Amino acid sequence: MTSEIKQILLFGAGKSATVLIGYLLDQSDRCKWKLTVVDADLLLVQSKIKGHPNGSALSFNISEAEERRHTISQADIVISMLPPALHYLVAQDCVAYSKHLLTASYLDESIKKLEAEISRKGLLFLCEMGLDPGIDHMSAMQLIQGIKSQGAVIRSFKSHCGGLIAPESDDNPWHYKITWNPANVVNAGKTGAVYKYGGKTIEKSYKEIFKNNPTVKINGAGSYAYYPNRDSLSYATLYGLETADTFMRTTLRHPHFCKAWQYIVEAGLTDTAPFKEAVPYSDTADWFNQTIQQRYPLASFDRYIDTVVAEADRALIRKQFTYLGLNNRHPLPPQARSSADALRYLLETHLKMARDDRDMIIMLHEVDYEKNNRLYSTKSCMIVKGDNALNTAMAKTVGLPLGIAAELILEKKINIAGLKIPVTREIYEPVLIKLKEKKIKFEDL
């Protein structure tokens, strides 16, 4: 091995890593690098590396500090696709061994504590470098800067993104299938949301997130409901839109999904409180009935639908709940330690993609702006479809931005340091150019 061979280290080989691994290995001969992938499931890594001569598979517990540190010390750049709570373990070691770090997750407070040391060492820690967050930031900033360069003032900005099932594979009453970590689906909206609309700051609690969601129509793809996504306002300043009357970031879902999920939340099925006993329920129906009885005395599957669900929605919700297996007499898996775990198991089991199913990513930016005392509106939309259940649109749009960024950093085409998200021109311009080559692009509507 020559000194010019670079070493890329990837933690995590799950659903969203498939295309990233393929991209890095496809570029490995040209770019003169080798890829090491670490995951708890060694067979999973090997199935995705597929015997490529420039790929290596490792398996160890990420909490094993000695092995983790040794592996990081050998790398030139590290990509973490671990669950967000585990990024800090990797980040600490990347600082200690002076390694660049990329993640697709939201920048959290623990990593922010490392900011001074990251800058002092001249490292680049690039977070929020996936789809949402990631492509949303880059495409939004390119659109915003283009409008501002005309001397216009942006009055309203709405950004929508959804990981959905393609219409040709939409064959269940939820109009949804699992294409990424189901835990993220279960936990969606739990932190509530805050955004700005019509000059007013709006706060919504978890129980309000999925109620009466407005819709947007996407040409050729149908109409989708949207719900506000976390803290939109924290991005208004980063986007340079703190004076806009409306600023919100949202998640897209089929309207029927949002209707059903509101009743899932109201039933307490997303609660993370541990069960009092290791296996306290005889089967799924028993779990459902006992869980809702904590909120609705004498409730059962039928009574919950007939008394809690709005009359106009009852037929739909009964069909959706039945499809998800909420009234089945099937045992819960022993690893289910909370209602959230049980629900995640049901999502994985009943909303699983078939081998040839195709998923779909939709991202839509809606901008209203004022120029020369006249109001204008523009819409910019990206639609990406997956190839099958392995090479999904989700894996493409989460993995490719990370792979492209790693390539540009190693080739010294991105030459900035510090703790960053991709809202600066030095990052988003070259990455968007390369994404366009992969047919991940926006079109004006």
Side-chain angles (χ1 to χ4, degrees), residues 87-113:
H87 289 322
Y88 185 63
L89 292 175
V90 175
Q92 285 180 303
D93 294 342
C94 285
V95 170
Y97 293 100
S98 297
K99 309 299 180 183
H100 301 303
L101 174 65
L102 307 178
T103 82
S105 301
Y106 283 100
L107 176 58
D108 63 29
E109 293 301 318
S110 61
I111 294 182
K112 285 181 182 178
K113 295 176 183 177

PDB file of all heavy atoms in Angstrom, residues 87-113:
ATOM      1  N   HIS A  87     -23.222   9.330  17.792  1.00  0.00           N
ATOM      2  CA  HIS A  87     -22.257  10.139  17.044  1.00  0.00           C
ATOM      3  C   HIS A  87     -21.182  10.744  17.951  1.00  0.00           C
ATOM      4  O   HIS A  87     -20.030  10.900  17.536  1.00  0.00           O
ATOM      5  CB  HIS A  87     -22.961  11.280  16.299  1.00  0.00           C
ATOM      6  CG  HIS A  87     -23.792  10.844  15.143  1.00  0.00           C
ATOM      7  ND1 HIS A  87     -23.426   9.830  14.284  1.00  0.00           N
ATOM      8  CD2 HIS A  87     -24.989  11.300  14.677  1.00  0.00           C
ATOM      9  CE1 HIS A  87     -24.357   9.672  13.359  1.00  0.00           C
ATOM     10  NE2 HIS A  87     -25.308  10.560  13.583  1.00  0.00           N
ATOM     11  N   TYR A  88     -21.565  11.095  19.163  1.00  0.00           N
ATOM     12  CA  TYR A  88     -20.618  11.797  20.038  1.00  0.00           C
ATOM     13  C   TYR A  88     -19.417  10.917  20.370  1.00  0.00           C
ATOM     14  O   TYR A  88     -18.291  11.425  20.492  1.00  0.00           O
ATOM     15  CB  TYR A  88     -21.322  12.249  21.313  1.00  0.00           C
ATOM     16  CG  TYR A  88     -20.446  13.094  22.213  1.00  0.00           C
ATOM     17  CD1 TYR A  88     -19.973  14.327  21.783  1.00  0.00           C
ATOM     18  CD2 TYR A  88     -20.082  12.656  23.480  1.00  0.00           C
ATOM     19  CE1 TYR A  88     -19.169  15.106  22.584  1.00  0.00           C
ATOM     20  CE2 TYR A  88     -19.278  13.429  24.296  1.00  0.00           C
ATOM     21  CZ  TYR A  88     -18.820  14.654  23.854  1.00  0.00           C
ATOM     22  OH  TYR A  88     -18.017  15.420  24.660  1.00  0.00           O
ATOM     23  N   LEU A  89     -19.631   9.607  20.518  1.00  0.00           N
ATOM     24  CA  LEU A  89     -18.503   8.705  20.770  1.00  0.00           C
ATOM     25  C   LEU A  89     -17.488   8.803  19.642  1.00  0.00           C
ATOM     26  O   LEU A  89     -16.271   8.884  19.873  1.00  0.00           O
ATOM     27  CB  LEU A  89     -19.002   7.256  20.887  1.00  0.00           C
ATOM     28  CG  LEU A  89     -19.861   6.893  22.097  1.00  0.00           C
ATOM     29  CD1 LEU A  89     -20.352   5.455  21.963  1.00  0.00           C
ATOM     30  CD2 LEU A  89     -19.073   7.070  23.390  1.00  0.00           C
ATOM     31  N   VAL A  90     -17.985   8.783  18.415  1.00  0.00           N
ATOM     32  CA  VAL A  90     -17.110   8.878  17.243  1.00  0.00           C
ATOM     33  C   VAL A  90     -16.492  10.263  17.152  1.00  0.00           C
ATOM     34  O   VAL A  90     -15.297  10.412  16.856  1.00  0.00           O
ATOM     35  CB  VAL A  90     -17.905   8.541  15.963  1.00  0.00           C
ATOM     36  CG1 VAL A  90     -17.046   8.744  14.720  1.00  0.00           C
ATOM     37  CG2 VAL A  90     -18.440   7.116  16.022  1.00  0.00           C
ATOM     38  N   ALA A  91     -17.296  11.292  17.408  1.00  0.00           N
ATOM     39  CA  ALA A  91     -16.813  12.672  17.285  1.00  0.00           C
ATOM     40  C   ALA A  91     -15.652  12.955  18.236  1.00  0.00           C
ATOM     41  O   ALA A  91     -14.669  13.612  17.855  1.00  0.00           O
ATOM     42  CB  ALA A  91     -17.960  13.643  17.552  1.00  0.00           C
ATOM     43  N   GLN A  92     -15.733  12.474  19.466  1.00  0.00           N
ATOM     44  CA  GLN A  92     -14.648  12.685  20.433  1.00  0.00           C
ATOM     45  C   GLN A  92     -13.335  12.103  19.916  1.00  0.00           C
ATOM     46  O   GLN A  92     -12.276  12.738  20.013  1.00  0.00           O
ATOM     47  CB  GLN A  92     -15.000  12.035  21.763  1.00  0.00           C
ATOM     48  CG  GLN A  92     -16.031  12.777  22.587  1.00  0.00           C
ATOM     49  CD  GLN A  92     -16.307  12.066  23.889  1.00  0.00           C
ATOM     50  OE1 GLN A  92     -16.699  10.898  23.915  1.00  0.00           O
ATOM     51  NE2 GLN A  92     -16.092  12.759  24.992  1.00  0.00           N
ATOM     52  N   ASP A  93     -13.421  10.899  19.371  1.00  0.00           N
ATOM     53  CA  ASP A  93     -12.204  10.255  18.865  1.00  0.00           C
ATOM     54  C   ASP A  93     -11.687  10.932  17.607  1.00  0.00           C
ATOM     55  O   ASP A  93     -10.469  11.009  17.388  1.00  0.00           O
ATOM     56  CB  ASP A  93     -12.471   8.770  18.586  1.00  0.00           C
ATOM     57  CG  ASP A  93     -12.763   7.991  19.857  1.00  0.00           C
ATOM     58  OD1 ASP A  93     -12.431   8.485  20.939  1.00  0.00           O
ATOM     59  OD2 ASP A  93     -13.340   6.891  19.761  1.00  0.00           O
ATOM     60  N   CYS A  94     -12.584  11.434  16.777  1.00  0.00           N
ATOM     61  CA  CYS A  94     -12.153  12.149  15.570  1.00  0.00           C
ATOM     62  C   CYS A  94     -11.397  13.424  15.946  1.00  0.00           C
ATOM     63  O   CYS A  94     -10.407  13.781  15.291  1.00  0.00           O
ATOM     64  CB  CYS A  94     -13.354  12.484  14.689  1.00  0.00           C
ATOM     65  SG  CYS A  94     -14.023  11.078  13.791  1.00  0.00           S
ATOM     66  N   VAL A  95     -11.831  14.094  16.992  1.00  0.00           N
ATOM     67  CA  VAL A  95     -11.088  15.260  17.479  1.00  0.00           C
ATOM     68  C   VAL A  95      -9.733  14.824  18.020  1.00  0.00           C
ATOM     69  O   VAL A  95      -8.693  15.421  17.703  1.00  0.00           O
ATOM     70  CB  VAL A  95     -11.893  16.006  18.564  1.00  0.00           C
ATOM     71  CG1 VAL A  95     -11.019  17.060  19.235  1.00  0.00           C
ATOM     72  CG2 VAL A  95     -13.125  16.674  17.953  1.00  0.00           C
ATOM     73  N   ALA A  96      -9.732  13.780  18.830  1.00  0.00           N
ATOM     74  CA  ALA A  96      -8.487  13.321  19.450  1.00  0.00           C
ATOM     75  C   ALA A  96      -7.445  12.913  18.417  1.00  0.00           C
ATOM     76  O   ALA A  96      -6.252  13.186  18.587  1.00  0.00           O
ATOM     77  CB  ALA A  96      -8.780  12.156  20.394  1.00  0.00           C
ATOM     78  N   TYR A  97      -7.897  12.291  17.319  1.00  0.00           N
ATOM     79  CA  TYR A  97      -6.965  11.800  16.300  1.00  0.00           C
ATOM     80  C   TYR A  97      -6.935  12.685  15.052  1.00  0.00           C
ATOM     81  O   TYR A  97      -6.351  12.304  14.032  1.00  0.00           O
ATOM     82  CB  TYR A  97      -7.311  10.354  15.927  1.00  0.00           C
ATOM     83  CG  TYR A  97      -7.073   9.379  17.052  1.00  0.00           C
ATOM     84  CD1 TYR A  97      -8.115   8.923  17.837  1.00  0.00           C
ATOM     85  CD2 TYR A  97      -5.787   8.939  17.343  1.00  0.00           C
ATOM     86  CE1 TYR A  97      -7.909   8.034  18.882  1.00  0.00           C
ATOM     87  CE2 TYR A  97      -5.553   8.054  18.386  1.00  0.00           C
ATOM     88  CZ  TYR A  97      -6.618   7.606  19.151  1.00  0.00           C
ATOM     89  OH  TYR A  97      -6.397   6.736  20.192  1.00  0.00           O
ATOM     90  N   SER A  98      -7.558  13.856  15.132  1.00  0.00           N
ATOM     91  CA  SER A  98      -7.527  14.848  14.039  1.00  0.00           C
ATOM     92  C   SER A  98      -8.046  14.289  12.723  1.00  0.00           C
ATOM     93  O   SER A  98      -7.379  14.329  11.685  1.00  0.00           O
ATOM     94  CB  SER A  98      -6.096  15.401  13.859  1.00  0.00           C
ATOM     95  OG  SER A  98      -5.681  16.079  15.017  1.00  0.00           O
ATOM     96  N   LYS A  99      -9.283  13.787  12.762  1.00  0.00           N
ATOM     97  CA  LYS A  99      -9.928  13.231  11.577  1.00  0.00           C
ATOM     98  C   LYS A  99     -11.183  14.039  11.238  1.00  0.00           C
ATOM     99  O   LYS A  99     -11.950  14.414  12.122  1.00  0.00           O
ATOM    100  CB  LYS A  99     -10.329  11.763  11.803  1.00  0.00           C
ATOM    101  CG  LYS A  99      -9.198  10.878  12.324  1.00  0.00           C
ATOM    102  CD  LYS A  99      -8.025  10.804  11.357  1.00  0.00           C
ATOM    103  CE  LYS A  99      -6.917   9.906  11.920  1.00  0.00           C
ATOM    104  NZ  LYS A  99      -5.730   9.865  11.018  1.00  0.00           N
ATOM    105  N   HIS A 100     -11.400  14.281   9.948  1.00  0.00           N
ATOM    106  CA  HIS A 100     -12.640  14.914   9.505  1.00  0.00           C
ATOM    107  C   HIS A 100     -13.814  13.955   9.758  1.00  0.00           C
ATOM    108  O   HIS A 100     -13.657  12.737   9.677  1.00  0.00           O
ATOM    109  CB  HIS A 100     -12.588  15.243   8.017  1.00  0.00           C
ATOM    110  CG  HIS A 100     -11.477  16.167   7.632  1.00  0.00           C
ATOM    111  ND1 HIS A 100     -11.311  17.416   8.184  1.00  0.00           N
ATOM    112  CD2 HIS A 100     -10.454  16.010   6.736  1.00  0.00           C
ATOM    113  CE1 HIS A 100     -10.259  18.005   7.642  1.00  0.00           C
ATOM    114  NE2 HIS A 100      -9.715  17.164   6.769  1.00  0.00           N
ATOM    115  N   LEU A 101     -14.996  14.520  10.025  1.00  0.00           N
ATOM    116  CA  LEU A 101     -16.170  13.702  10.318  1.00  0.00           C
ATOM    117  C   LEU A 101     -17.380  14.212   9.546  1.00  0.00           C
ATOM    118  O   LEU A 101     -17.642  15.425   9.496  1.00  0.00           O
ATOM    119  CB  LEU A 101     -16.483  13.737  11.820  1.00  0.00           C
ATOM    120  CG  LEU A 101     -17.782  13.038  12.264  1.00  0.00           C
ATOM    121  CD1 LEU A 101     -17.706  11.537  12.006  1.00  0.00           C
ATOM    122  CD2 LEU A 101     -18.065  13.313  13.739  1.00  0.00           C
ATOM    123  N   LEU A 102     -18.131  13.281   8.955  1.00  0.00           N
ATOM    124  CA  LEU A 102     -19.375  13.603   8.254  1.00  0.00           C
ATOM    125  C   LEU A 102     -20.520  12.805   8.873  1.00  0.00           C
ATOM    126  O   LEU A 102     -20.360  11.622   9.176  1.00  0.00           O
ATOM    127  CB  LEU A 102     -19.282  13.233   6.771  1.00  0.00           C
ATOM    128  CG  LEU A 102     -18.108  13.775   5.951  1.00  0.00           C
ATOM    129  CD1 LEU A 102     -18.192  13.255   4.524  1.00  0.00           C
ATOM    130  CD2 LEU A 102     -18.103  15.278   5.955  1.00  0.00           C
ATOM    131  N   THR A 103     -21.690  13.434   9.044  1.00  0.00           N
ATOM    132  CA  THR A 103     -22.887  12.729   9.464  1.00  0.00           C
ATOM    133  C   THR A 103     -24.085  13.281   8.693  1.00  0.00           C
ATOM    134  O   THR A 103     -24.038  14.389   8.158  1.00  0.00           O
ATOM    135  CB  THR A 103     -23.192  12.873  10.970  1.00  0.00           C
ATOM    136  OG1 THR A 103     -23.870  14.105  11.215  1.00  0.00           O
ATOM    137  CG2 THR A 103     -21.920  12.809  11.812  1.00  0.00           C
ATOM    138  N   ALA A 104     -25.160  12.495   8.661  1.00  0.00           N
ATOM    139  CA  ALA A 104     -26.403  12.944   8.037  1.00  0.00           C
ATOM    140  C   ALA A 104     -27.410  13.413   9.081  1.00  0.00           C
ATOM    141  O   ALA A 104     -28.520  13.793   8.740  1.00  0.00           O
ATOM    142  CB  ALA A 104     -27.012  11.806   7.217  1.00  0.00           C
ATOM    143  N   SER A 105     -27.010  13.400  10.350  1.00  0.00           N
ATOM    144  CA  SER A 105     -27.937  13.696  11.446  1.00  0.00           C
ATOM    145  C   SER A 105     -27.924  15.171  11.819  1.00  0.00           C
ATOM    146  O   SER A 105     -26.979  15.905  11.525  1.00  0.00           O
ATOM    147  CB  SER A 105     -27.564  12.867  12.683  1.00  0.00           C
ATOM    148  OG  SER A 105     -27.605  11.494  12.398  1.00  0.00           O
ATOM    149  N   TYR A 106     -28.979  15.566  12.523  1.00  0.00           N
ATOM    150  CA  TYR A 106     -29.042  16.931  13.033  1.00  0.00           C
ATOM    151  C   TYR A 106     -27.873  17.184  13.984  1.00  0.00           C
ATOM    152  O   TYR A 106     -27.482  16.317  14.768  1.00  0.00           O
ATOM    153  CB  TYR A 106     -30.356  17.169  13.777  1.00  0.00           C
ATOM    154  CG  TYR A 106     -31.536  17.365  12.866  1.00  0.00           C
ATOM    155  CD1 TYR A 106     -32.419  16.318  12.602  1.00  0.00           C
ATOM    156  CD2 TYR A 106     -31.779  18.591  12.254  1.00  0.00           C
ATOM    157  CE1 TYR A 106     -33.512  16.496  11.754  1.00  0.00           C
ATOM    158  CE2 TYR A 106     -32.859  18.779  11.408  1.00  0.00           C
ATOM    159  CZ  TYR A 106     -33.715  17.726  11.162  1.00  0.00           C
ATOM    160  OH  TYR A 106     -34.785  17.899  10.324  1.00  0.00           O
ATOM    161  N   LEU A 107     -27.332  18.376  13.900  1.00  0.00           N
ATOM    162  CA  LEU A 107     -26.251  18.798  14.781  1.00  0.00           C
ATOM    163  C   LEU A 107     -26.800  18.915  16.200  1.00  0.00           C
ATOM    164  O   LEU A 107     -27.757  19.650  16.440  1.00  0.00           O
ATOM    165  CB  LEU A 107     -25.692  20.147  14.309  1.00  0.00           C
ATOM    166  CG  LEU A 107     -24.609  20.810  15.140  1.00  0.00           C
ATOM    167  CD1 LEU A 107     -23.408  19.903  15.288  1.00  0.00           C
ATOM    168  CD2 LEU A 107     -24.203  22.133  14.489  1.00  0.00           C
ATOM    169  N   ASP A 108     -26.197  18.186  17.140  1.00  0.00           N
ATOM    170  CA  ASP A 108     -26.733  18.218  18.501  1.00  0.00           C
ATOM    171  C   ASP A 108     -25.803  18.979  19.451  1.00  0.00           C
ATOM    172  O   ASP A 108     -24.676  19.343  19.116  1.00  0.00           O
ATOM    173  CB  ASP A 108     -27.023  16.808  19.027  1.00  0.00           C
ATOM    174  CG  ASP A 108     -25.771  15.943  19.147  1.00  0.00           C
ATOM    175  OD1 ASP A 108     -24.681  16.487  19.356  1.00  0.00           O
ATOM    176  OD2 ASP A 108     -25.907  14.712  19.038  1.00  0.00           O
ATOM    177  N   GLU A 109     -26.304  19.201  20.640  1.00  0.00           N
ATOM    178  CA  GLU A 109     -25.588  20.038  21.607  1.00  0.00           C
ATOM    179  C   GLU A 109     -24.279  19.409  22.053  1.00  0.00           C
ATOM    180  O   GLU A 109     -23.310  20.119  22.346  1.00  0.00           O
ATOM    181  CB  GLU A 109     -26.480  20.313  22.821  1.00  0.00           C
ATOM    182  CG  GLU A 109     -27.689  21.181  22.515  1.00  0.00           C
ATOM    183  CD  GLU A 109     -27.312  22.542  21.944  1.00  0.00           C
ATOM    184  OE1 GLU A 109     -26.339  23.147  22.450  1.00  0.00           O
ATOM    185  OE2 GLU A 109     -27.967  22.987  20.985  1.00  0.00           O
ATOM    186  N   SER A 110     -24.226  18.083  22.143  1.00  0.00           N
ATOM    187  CA  SER A 110     -22.997  17.438  22.608  1.00  0.00           C
ATOM    188  C   SER A 110     -21.846  17.685  21.640  1.00  0.00           C
ATOM    189  O   SER A 110     -20.715  17.974  22.068  1.00  0.00           O
ATOM    190  CB  SER A 110     -23.221  15.932  22.801  1.00  0.00           C
ATOM    191  OG  SER A 110     -23.594  15.321  21.576  1.00  0.00           O
ATOM    192  N   ILE A 111     -22.116  17.604  20.344  1.00  0.00           N
ATOM    193  CA  ILE A 111     -21.051  17.843  19.363  1.00  0.00           C
ATOM    194  C   ILE A 111     -20.693  19.326  19.314  1.00  0.00           C
ATOM    195  O   ILE A 111     -19.530  19.685  19.077  1.00  0.00           O
ATOM    196  CB  ILE A 111     -21.453  17.288  17.986  1.00  0.00           C
ATOM    197  CG1 ILE A 111     -21.546  15.759  18.052  1.00  0.00           C
ATOM    198  CG2 ILE A 111     -20.461  17.706  16.904  1.00  0.00           C
ATOM    199  CD1 ILE A 111     -21.879  15.081  16.746  1.00  0.00           C
ATOM    200  N   LYS A 112     -21.666  20.196  19.572  1.00  0.00           N
ATOM    201  CA  LYS A 112     -21.375  21.633  19.599  1.00  0.00           C
ATOM    202  C   LYS A 112     -20.323  21.964  20.655  1.00  0.00           C
ATOM    203  O   LYS A 112     -19.565  22.932  20.504  1.00  0.00           O
ATOM    204  CB  LYS A 112     -22.648  22.436  19.860  1.00  0.00           C
ATOM    205  CG  LYS A 112     -23.587  22.521  18.669  1.00  0.00           C
ATOM    206  CD  LYS A 112     -24.813  23.361  19.013  1.00  0.00           C
ATOM    207  CE  LYS A 112     -25.792  23.420  17.848  1.00  0.00           C
ATOM    208  NZ  LYS A 112     -27.009  24.194  18.197  1.00  0.00           N
ATOM    209  N   LYS A 113     -20.257  21.177  21.710  1.00  0.00           N
ATOM    210  CA  LYS A 113     -19.267  21.416  22.769  1.00  0.00           C
ATOM    211  C   LYS A 113     -17.833  21.209  22.272  1.00  0.00           C
ATOM    212  O   LYS A 113     -16.885  21.673  22.900  1.00  0.00           O
ATOM    213  CB  LYS A 113     -19.547  20.504  23.954  1.00  0.00           C
ATOM    214  CG  LYS A 113     -20.868  20.793  24.658  1.00  0.00           C
ATOM    215  CD  LYS A 113     -21.141  19.792  25.764  1.00  0.00           C
ATOM    216  CE  LYS A 113     -22.499  20.041  26.429  1.00  0.00           C
ATOM    217  NZ  LYS A 113     -22.812  19.023  27.461  1.00  0.00           N
TER     218      LYS A 113
END
